[in-house]
């Protein structure tokens, strides 16, 4: 194959089997990574949007017992701030209905219940983020391995000829560099997405933390009120 015949498709098709395997692996990882990027983006955006929507409803002056009843009667399960509110108010109502339970004991149990719900919701939002971090850190090395293998084969081939030319080693080096490019193509979007999602997750976690403390304050006043 001469220099004029070189094309990316030709290089991939005529690459050595190990390099082709590495390219196929990187392509598969890239496809899965992009699927997770789109999926996580939708999940996190929805969490932020639904959180703001629920906070507006919560602070609109609606009766808490009615809000709790509406969530229980709804077909779809509560998520995000709804889950924090539901678990907290359920435990609050249960403990407050028990005779002899002090207001402090009611609040301790309520706060623990909301903390558990908070941890579960954040864990759901963090799902697959570790995969993106792994892709961002590992795929450049996988591509580099393909590069090393391709260049090594090119130089080994030079040992069997008396006169070496650039045209002889160019295809092998080019196919090796494609493996590096594919590794970077898989890694760069994953790193960018991971950093953006981590920042967005921190915003959501702060939103949940603030609501948890504000709701605890509301319930604390209710627990210490008469009747």
């Amino acid at each position: 194959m001469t220099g004029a015949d070189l094309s990316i498709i030709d290089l991939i098709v005529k690459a050595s089997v190990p390099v082709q395997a590495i390219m196929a692996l990187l392509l598969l990882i890239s496809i899965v990574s992009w699927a997770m990027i789109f999926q996580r983006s939708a999940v996190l955006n929805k969490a932020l949007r639904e959180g703001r929507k629920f906070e507006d409803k919560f602070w609109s002056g609606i009766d808490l017992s009615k809000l709790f009843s509406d969530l229980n009667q709804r077909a779809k399960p509560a998520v995000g701030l709804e889950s924090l509110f539901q678990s907290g108010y359920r435990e609050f109502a249960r403990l407050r209905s028990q005779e002899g339970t002090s207001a402090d004991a009611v609040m301790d149990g309520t706060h623990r219940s909301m903390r558990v719900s908070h941890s579960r919701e954040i864990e759901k939002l963090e799902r697959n983020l570790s995969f993106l971090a792994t892709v961002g850190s590992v795929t450049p090395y996988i591509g580099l391995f393909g590069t090393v293998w391709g260049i090594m084969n090119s130089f080994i081939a030079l040992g069997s000829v008396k006169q070496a030319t650039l045209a002889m080693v160019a295809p092998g080096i080019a196919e090796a560099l494609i493996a590096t490019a594919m590794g970077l193509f898989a890694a760069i979007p994953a790193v960018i997405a991971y950093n953006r999602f981590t920042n967005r997750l921190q915003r959501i976690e702060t939103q949940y933390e603030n609501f948890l403390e504000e709701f605890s304050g509301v319930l604390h006043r209710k627990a210490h009120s008469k009747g």
Side-chain angles (χ1 to χ4, degrees):
M1 183 164 54
T2 64
D5 296 329
L6 290 177
S7 70
I8 293 178
I9 301 300
D10 288 333
L11 291 172
I12 293 175
V13 171
K14 297 180 180 180
S16 61
V17 174
V19 175
Q20 285 182 335
I22 290 172
M23 290 179 181
L25 175 62
L26 290 172
L27 180 61
L28 177 62
I29 291 174
S30 181
I31 293 173
V32 174
S33 177
W34 275 106
M36 289 187 177
I37 288 172
F38 286 121
Q39 192 265 347
R40 283 294 96 187
S41 179
V43 168
L44 294 176
N45 285 338
K46 183 179 179 181
L48 278 171
R49 186 172 61 252
E50 293 295 327
R52 296 191 192 102
K53 182 179 178 181
F54 180 78
E55 280 189 311
D56 290 340
K57 189 173 184 179
F58 179 84
W59 294 113
S60 66
I62 187 173
D63 183 72
L64 296 184
S65 60
K66 183 180 185 307
L67 180 58
F68 178 73
S69 178
D70 290 343
L71 289 176
N72 284 339
Q73 294 173 4
R74 197 178 57 182
K76 66 176 184 177
V79 294
L81 291 185
E82 295 176 346
S83 179
L84 266 68
F85 169 81
Q86 193 176 53
S87 62
Y89 195 83
R90 180 188 294 112
E91 187 67 6
F92 175 82
R94 184 185 71 82
L95 293 174
R96 203 179 186 212
S97 65
Q98 296 177 355
E99 295 184 5
T101 305
S102 67
D104 289 337
V106 170
M107 289 310 304
D108 286 343
T110 300
H111 203 266
R112 282 196 300 271
S113 178
M114 286 193 291
R115 277 291 172 190
V116 171
S117 179
H118 173 274
S119 297
R120 288 174 179 168
E121 293 302 312
I122 295 299
E123 184 179 355
K124 291 176 185 177
L125 296 176
E126 289 177 337
R127 195 170 298 159
N128 296 331
L129 290 188
S130 60
F131 175 82
L132 293 178
T134 301
V135 169
S137 60
V138 171
T139 49
Y141 294 102
I142 297 176
L144 182 60
F145 177 75
T147 299
V148 171
W149 187 275
I151 293 176
M152 181 181 66
N153 282 342
S154 296
F155 282 105
I156 290 175
L158 290 179
S160 60
V161 298
K162 294 182 179 180
Q163 186 176 1
T165 63
L166 181 60
M168 295 177 61
V169 298
I173 294 176
E175 78 177 38
L177 293 177
I178 291 176
T180 298
M182 291 184 69
L184 294 175
F185 180 78
I188 292 173
V191 171
I192 294 174
Y194 176 78
N195 290 335
R196 291 191 63 183
F197 292 164
T198 299
N199 179 265
R200 203 172 302 173
L201 185 61
Q202 289 175 347
R203 289 169 54 196
I204 296 173
E205 191 167 2
T206 299
Q207 181 188 48
Y208 287 9
E209 289 279 355
N210 291 340
F211 176 80
L212 192 153
E213 295 303 324
E214 290 168 347
F215 185 38
S216 293
V218 172
L219 293 181
H220 186 272
R221 291 190 294 273
K222 192 176 182 68
H224 286 80
S225 65
K226 294 183 179 179

